Amino acid sequence: MRRTPPRRAVATGAVVAAAAMLAVGVQAGTGTAATPQPAAPHAAPAAGALPAKLSPAQRDRLLRSADAATKATAKELKLGAQEKLVVKDVSQDADGTTHTRYARTLDGLPVLGGDLIVHEAKGGAVKGVTKAQAKQLKVATTTAKVAPSAASAKALSSARSLGASKAAADKAPRKVVWAADGTPRLAYETVVGGLQKDGTPNQLHVITDATTGEKIFQYQGIENGVGNTEYSGKVTLGTTASGSSYTLTDGGRGGHKTYNLNHGSSGKGTLFTNSTDVWGNGTPQNAETAAADAAYGAAETWDYYKNVHGRTGIKGDGVAAYSRVHYGNSYVNAFWDDSCFCMTYGDGYGNAAPLTALDVAGHEMSHGVTAATAGLIYSGESGGLNEATSDIFGTAVEWYSNTAADPGDYLIGEKIDINGDGTPLRYMDKPSKDGASADYWSSTVGNKDVHYSSGVANHFFYLLSEGSGSKVVNGVQYNSPTYDGKSVPGIGRANAEKVWFKALSQYMTSSTNYAAARTATLKAAADLFGQGSATYNTVANTWAAVNVGARVSAGK
């Protein structure tokens, strides 16, 4: 049948709230602050440092140009003869500065933790390079002493020890160079499928030393969260008419589609189709209600990244992800899977509370943005930063959307009542109020679950947005402390979002830790507001307020 142009539909959708997760690594770094220059903390960012709003075609041309020049770029960077660059992503500032992100191979093997970003001025001159791995990429041999079957057995054992069921290697282990911990070595990467303990699909990546057989590292490739749901009232959806029926296909946003798994746990499911252009009735008993919520959340997140950060789609290529609702039976979770490029939502306890909330969609889709940019490994401090990035942008989407039934706040999962007492899942103003999250950095914070180590960055973002102390913001009472007891003023949420996005997309790498995140945000602040400006120094002092780095002040 002939498809007609996309249209807007009215949905009586249930908007829900929840939070979710993604991937990480290792990196050292410290930020330095120059002598402060006069500037107001809320000064507008430099227009030239803001993102250029590239169309998918413009971005594709930049990617093709970078790909054609990889040999010349590798030579200019003085990489080894056996090293090659693989273009992963590109972004551009309004002044023409281009930031190209590369993965690396060594003697034909993928280098995990070898990513780098080249920053070029409009004329092509290299302004700087950000590397995940500062050491020379070199291994004694690329011949493994350990058989692939032994690596596979080690990975399966690890998955089963975590409670995985139906565990099986998705494919034979691949030989790689593992460099994320600072010492390049030959290794195997095995990906174990099946199901995690709670029914979430399993995608456990296990890295095994190819010389000794020792397990080096592991991380989960499925980024997920926990939640429950409430309603959002009437919302406007992008749909597509085909003949006398309509589908939940948002042609105005890359063709995002919403599918019904009907309590299954594999495949895409069935695309939602309706004889009318009204979706759901506001109750979880109607299967279309959760679909309306998921489609609405995806649309608002798409609009946020495009209109605020100039990024058209998760990868910047104008292509939408897709959503699946009604996953499993009484599944109390939601997750992002980069392999299918999709978001998946369960229906909660008793299949009565779908996890299809506005901030859930923002959180999950932001895992995709992180995967397409910094690629933060989902473990340790980088895992906490990965998870915090999704909380930060899930919160930003909620504020951007300005939906009356779910107004902006700095509470994560405030509508899901996961604790059964009306309290939110996480707090950004004082993360430790949830009983497990970290307010401040410590040398052991990376040992926490990534949802709790994320507290340091969540706290930083709240303080950078609103400042410390007791205050009411949008009708919600907050009281945010600092590690050193000294106040910080904040730079405004919109500016804080710009700093974090620029740092993520142009200066963070797969192995960024909290010290390196400070460096990345200071570089972003220098681009946007000027190095040594009051805003720049507020960024530095806000990191000190969560015990990352030292404070700076005028005249020092």
Side-chain angles (χ1 to χ4, degrees):
M1 290 182 287
R2 183 175 66 86
R3 296 177 63 168
T4 58
R7 48 180 285 133
R8 309 292 286 177
V10 174
T12 314
V15 168
V16 204
M21 5 312 182
L22 181 73
V24 210
V26 188
Q27 175 176 320
T30 56
T32 58
T35 302
Q37 303 297 323
H42 294 270
L50 292 172
K53 296 191 176 183
L54 299 175
S55 69
Q58 289 171 321
R59 177 179 179 273
D60 185 62
R61 284 195 291 272
L62 288 173
L63 288 171
R64 285 189 281 109
S65 176
D67 188 60
T70 52
K71 287 185 179 179
T73 303
K75 184 176 180 180
E76 185 172 3
L77 297 180
K78 296 182 171 57
L79 301 185
Q82 301 303 312
E83 292 183 60
K84 291 185 179 179
L85 294 173
V86 180
V87 180
K88 179 182 176 184
D89 190 29
V90 65
S91 64
Q92 193 172 72
D93 297 340
D95 66 3
T97 300
T98 302
H99 310 266
T100 307
R101 189 179 293 271
Y102 299 89
R104 278 193 277 182
T105 64
L106 181 65
D107 200 16
L109 299 177
V111 180
L112 306 185
D115 47 310
L116 57 86
I117 310 147
V118 177
H119 313 282
E120 293 178 300
K122 185 176 182 180
V126 174
K127 297 171 66 175
V129 181
T130 302
K131 291 183 178 180
Q133 171 54 258
K135 292 183 180 179
Q136 181 183 13
L137 281 182
K138 186 177 181 180
V139 293
T141 178
T142 56
T143 301
K145 291 184 179 179
V146 173
S149 58
S152 183
K154 178 80 73 174
L156 288 170
S157 176
S158 293
R160 289 171 182 143
S161 71
L162 295 174
S165 61
K166 301 179 182 179
D170 284 350
K171 58 184 71 173
R174 69 166 181 165
K175 199 158 55 170
V176 300
V177 173
W178 173 255
D181 60 4
T183 305
R185 47 181 156 169
L186 188 67
Y188 286 111
E189 179 189 36
T190 309
V191 182
V192 181
L195 297 174
Q196 295 180 49
K197 194 173 182 179
D198 67 350
T200 303
N202 195 44
Q203 200 180 95
L204 186 69
H205 294 244
V206 181
I207 313 299
T208 310
D209 192 304
T211 301
T212 66
E214 169 198 7
K215 184 177 76 174
I216 303 171
F217 192 79
Q218 68 183 37
Y219 70 92
Q220 183 57 247
I222 298 291
E223 302 81 48
N224 65 348
V226 186
N228 207 330
T229 179
E230 282 296 338
Y231 306 120
S232 68
K234 288 186 178 181
V235 295
T236 301
L237 301 177
T239 63
T240 298
S242 180
S244 60
S245 63
Y246 305 87
T247 66
L248 271 183
T249 302
D250 194 341
R253 296 180 178 87
H256 177 274
K257 298 177 185 292
T258 305
Y259 294 90
N260 185 3
L261 280 171
N262 195 26
H263 304 300
S265 58
S266 62
K268 276 189 175 179
T270 305
L271 180 64
F272 275 92
T273 304
N274 198 341
S275 60
T276 70
D277 210 8
V278 178
W279 304 84
N281 64 5
T283 70
Q285 287 74 33
N286 185 307
E288 291 179 359
T289 296
D293 290 338
Y296 178 63
E300 293 297 282
T301 304
W302 176 285
D303 289 353
Y304 167 76
Y305 277 107
K306 182 177 181 179
N307 296 332
V308 176
H309 301 299
R311 190 174 186 88
T312 306
I314 288 174
K315 288 185 176 179
D317 58 2
V319 177
Y322 64 88
S323 297
R324 305 184 301 173
V325 298
H326 305 306
Y327 172 90
N329 190 30
S330 295
Y331 179 68
V332 191
N333 219 328
F335 59 88
W336 166 268
D337 184 349
D338 206 52
S339 65
C340 69
F341 205 61
C342 68
M343 289 85 64
T344 303
Y345 304 91
D347 283 333
Y349 295 109
N351 293 322
L355 279 81
T356 47
L358 183 58
D359 58 353
V360 182
H363 182 114
E364 301 301 346
M365 290 178 72
S366 294
H367 278 310
V369 173
T370 297
T373 55
L376 291 162
I377 301 168
Y378 203 56
S379 178
E381 290 189 23
S382 54
L385 284 163
N386 190 317
E387 189 61 28
T389 294
S390 282
D391 278 352
I392 287 167
F393 289 125
T395 295
V397 167
E398 191 176 81
W399 280 95
Y400 169 84
S401 177
N402 197 30
T403 299
D406 191 6
D409 53 49
Y410 296 96
L411 307 173
I412 310 299
E414 71 279 1
K415 289 188 173 289
I416 63 178
D417 195 22
I418 195 65
N419 301 316
D421 59 4
T423 58
L425 182 62
R426 290 191 284 276
Y427 304 78
M428 300 186 93
D429 65 320
K430 189 178 182 184
S432 63
K433 286 196 289 187
D434 68 9
S437 291
D439 290 335
Y440 312 114
W441 181 86
S442 72
S443 60
T444 61
V445 76
N447 298 332
K448 286 180 172 286
D449 179 279
V450 293
H451 299 94
Y452 303 139
S453 61
S454 64
V456 180
N458 279 345
H459 193 192
F460 166 81
F461 179 77
Y462 172 84
L463 288 169
L464 190 64
S465 298
E466 303 292 346
S468 57
S470 179
K471 61 193 65 182
V472 176
V473 182
N474 210 21
V476 179
Q477 176 71 49
Y478 301 100
N479 191 2
S480 193
T482 63
Y483 180 77
D484 56 10
K486 299 178 181 178
S487 65
V488 287
I491 63 173
R493 188 185 62 260
N495 285 340
E497 290 172 19
K498 290 178 175 66
V499 167
W500 195 268
F501 182 79
K502 191 173 185 72
L504 174 78
S505 59
Q506 297 178 356
Y507 294 115
M508 290 187 190
T509 69
S510 61
S511 55
T512 293
N513 61 10
Y514 274 113
R518 177 182 186 271
T519 299
T521 54
L522 284 172
K523 287 179 178 178
D527 290 346
L528 291 165
F529 301 101
Q531 184 162 330
S533 66
T535 303
Y536 176 95
N537 284 308
T538 296
V539 173
N541 289 338
T542 303
W543 277 118
V546 295
N547 197 32
V548 180
R551 286 200 177 233
V552 297
S553 59
K556 291 187 178 181

